[in-house]
Amino acid sequence: MPGLAIIGAQWGDEGKGKVTDLVADAADVVIRFQGGNNAGHTIVRENGDVYKFHLIPSGILHPGKICVIGNGVVVDPRVMTEELETLRRRGVDTSGLRISANAHLIMPYHLLLDQAGEARLGKLQIGTTRRGIGPCYADKAARLGIRMQDLLDEKILKQKIYAAMEPKRQSLRPHEKDPVLDLHAMTEEYRTFGHRLEDYIADTQRIVWDALDDERLVVFEGAQGTLLDIDHGTYPFVTSSNPVAGEACVGAGVGPKDIGEVWGVGKAYVTRVGSGPFPTELEDGTGERLRAAGGEWGTTTGRPRRCGWIDLVALRYAARVNGLTGLVITKLDVLTGIDPLYAAVRYLGPEGSTFDDFPYHQSILHKARGEYRELPGWNDDITAARRLEDLPRSARDYLDFVSEFVGVPIVLVGVGPGRDQVIWTDASQSRSLLAA
Ligand code: IMP
């Protein structure tokens, strides 16, 4: 049975973790296919318990599920072992975790290179999470990467660290004497991580193939969002992997026919962390109000997120790039009390130009501003709504407008942080979930 991919349709932080957590009930395998601990999910359970994840799929909270870190993910073993330890201390069974032997490792020099790279760019910096993500993917492409499987062989590990670290000496000169860059100490430390993670390392593509072949539901969980995609996002202000649905195949080791449905998750407004173009950004009181009401501070870095009106030009682009079959709109409740609301339906570019579609050219995108459709807001508290009919007329009209403009049915709406604060629509009676 083809699986379900859940991806970010904006600039990340759309609430994918909560959606995955909800469908994990029906899933047998949840696999992350790209990104690293630059991601962050906050999951609020029914009893009010809050869990924050950076690497481990949120499916781990569901006993008996297999949670996979796919080959497309970059793993910082220090973060991974800490996250495992925290979960164990809280009594969560982590025996369902599997990490691809082919996943690449974030090394101490990747962290230093990320920081040094940003410092060097100065005002032009990308605003990375400084977790070493970009340099790790760069080493992967340069074939200097170190993979999970290398942790299991000390000799190979040492050779590979030496080969990877040598060419970086120049950029790392200011850190030359830093003890974390000592070849022997680093090999020792990573061997220790290897011992701790050994039982989780596996041939993960086979696990996914077997589940697909046995008609069990596989959920492919994306990190970050479409507009942060290194190929399809707002380059160079992007992450170094592909958060789009196509990567679910590459980063998990399956073919396109193995993905039956693709749900794109977007907020009822838009946020972005880090630098780069943001045509609907609100640098005023409304932006601040969205930040406060939505708790828009990064899970990973604590940075305040930039906030703006929903951008339907970008969302329609995301629908096309990912081949979305369903749209999830999260945090609708955050818009309560803002009247009127605005949705960008076109971009206004330099010298009176207009753009119906997402412009490919960086210079245009940097100057683009939204042209808006004004929509009526609502004042009633919607956090207890569980069916579309429970929502005020204007909230339903807002959702209809988004869905019609983007051309994708809405499957799920978030109306509060709690796990039960959602509205499943008729469109969510998807083939995969029904079959599961
Ligand atoms: P990097 O992924 O740390 O290299 O950062 C590159 C860009 O992606 C920066 O603008 C980050 O703020 C952004 N980014 C990376 N991960 C996330 C995420 O999980 N949510 C939102 N933005 C992210």
Side-chain angles (χ1 to χ4, degrees):
M1 180 173 71
L4 166 66
I6 295 173
I7 56 94
Q10 296 165 334
W11 274 287
D13 308 316
E14 301 94 346
K16 296 174 290 292
K18 174 169 165 179
V19 182
T20 311
D21 185 41
L22 287 168
V23 299
D25 274 341
D28 297 285
V29 176
V30 179
I31 174 162
R32 264 197 70 177
F33 55 85
Q34 45 73 228
N37 58 310
N38 46 349
H41 298 327
T42 307
I43 304 289
V44 185
R45 308 297 290 176
E46 277 93 350
N47 60 2
D49 277 358
V50 178
Y51 289 88
K52 287 181 196 273
F53 295 101
H54 297 292
L55 261 176
I56 298 181
S58 33
I60 200 79
L61 297 177
H62 299 254
K65 310 285 170 188
I66 301 289
C67 287
V68 181
I69 304 280
N71 56 276
V73 176
V74 290
V75 177
D76 185 329
R78 182 189 312 278
V79 175
M80 173 61 89
T81 43
E82 280 169 11
E83 216 159 270
L84 274 169
E85 198 38 52
T86 309
L87 284 172
R88 273 195 223 113
R89 252 187 275 124
R90 292 182 70 173
V92 177
D93 174 12
T94 59
S95 61
L97 181 69
R98 304 284 182 277
I99 310 169
S100 167
N102 291 346
H104 281 247
L105 289 166
I106 295 180
M107 306 297 291
Y109 43 84
H110 292 142
L111 295 166
L112 294 174
L113 286 168
D114 201 354
Q115 281 151 20
E118 286 286 86
R120 212 173 299 125
L121 282 170
K123 275 206 314 216
L124 297 176
Q125 66 174 241
I126 296 158
T128 73
T129 58
R130 289 170 169 72
R131 301 294 193 262
I133 307 294
C136 183
Y137 277 113
D139 266 357
K140 175 177 177 175
R143 289 156 295 180
L144 286 171
I146 296 165
R147 298 185 292 172
M148 285 305 295
Q149 56 183 281
D150 300 324
L151 291 178
L152 306 178
D153 184 322
E154 183 167 352
K155 197 159 150 244
I156 287 185
L157 181 64
K158 197 177 218 168
Q159 269 172 8
K160 289 198 174 182
I161 296 179
Y162 177 76
M165 204 155 53
E166 248 339 90
K168 304 188 179 74
R169 290 250 166 249
Q170 191 66 26
S171 344
L172 292 174
R173 182 142 296 163
H175 303 278
E176 225 168 15
K177 301 268 179 299
D178 194 325
V180 304
L181 292 182
D182 178 80
L183 176 65
H184 301 285
M186 198 185 298
T187 310
E188 256 324 287
E189 187 183 26
Y190 272 64
R191 275 293 286 159
T192 309
F193 291 138
H195 291 311
R196 291 205 202 139
L197 296 174
E198 197 162 11
D199 290 345
Y200 299 105
I201 302 176
D203 177 1
T204 54
Q205 32 185 18
R206 187 158 296 283
I207 293 170
V208 176
W209 297 339
D210 287 348
L212 291 165
D213 292 348
D214 292 350
E215 304 286 308
R216 288 182 282 140
L217 179 61
V218 178
V219 173
F220 299 85
E221 180 185 10
Q224 290 87 45
T226 303
L227 300 172
L228 286 173
D229 186 279
I230 191 165
D231 286 276
H232 306 287
T234 51
Y235 191 91
F237 300 99
V238 292
T239 190
S240 296
S241 66
N242 293 103
V244 295
E247 178 66 13
C249 296
V250 181
V254 300
K257 283 186 182 165
D258 291 318
I259 316 268
E261 289 178 73
V262 183
W263 289 3
V265 186
K267 281 177 186 157
Y269 48 99
V270 178
T271 63
R272 165 163 213 175
V273 276
S275 323
F278 185 175
T280 63
E281 182 165 17
L282 287 163
E283 290 173 281
D284 59 5
T286 311
E288 276 164 33
R289 177 173 176 166
L290 288 172
R291 184 175 308 118
E296 298 296 355
W297 281 269
T299 314
T300 299
T301 58
R303 290 182 287 178
R305 296 179 183 141
R306 299 156 68 192
C307 300
W309 297 120
I310 195 162
D311 182 344
L312 298 182
V313 182
L315 202 52
R316 188 168 58 189
Y317 170 73
R320 191 66 192 87
V321 172
N322 293 292
L324 296 188
T325 60
L327 202 53
V328 178
I329 297 294
T330 59
K331 294 188 148 185
L332 187 66
D333 55 301
V334 172
L335 297 185
T336 300
I338 306 179
D339 194 8
L341 296 164
Y342 293 92
V345 291
R346 259 203 324 184
Y347 290 157
L348 305 174
E351 293 160 21
S353 54
T354 56
F355 297 86
D356 288 318
D357 294 314
F358 200 70
Y360 71 88
H361 206 290
Q362 195 188 343
S363 321
I364 292 171
L365 201 54
H366 273 269
K367 295 200 181 82
R369 289 287 158 262
E371 183 182 290
Y372 295 99
R373 172 71 64 91
E374 187 179 300
L375 298 160
W378 58 90
N379 289 310
D380 313 354
D381 180 1
I382 60 167
T383 53
R386 296 294 175 268
R387 300 169 311 154
L388 286 174
E389 303 85 79
D390 299 337
L391 292 173
R393 178 82 254 165
S394 43
R396 267 183 286 158
D397 288 347
Y398 185 83
L399 293 173
D400 287 345
F401 185 73
V402 169
S403 174
E404 274 161 34
F405 191 96
V406 175
V408 179
I410 293 178
V411 288
L412 185 65
V413 181
V415 292
R419 199 166 183 272
D420 60 327
Q421 290 181 296
V422 288
I423 297 171
W424 291 98
T425 72
D426 291 343
S428 66
Q429 299 305 311
S430 67
R431 276 168 295 136
S432 353
L433 285 185
L434 280 181

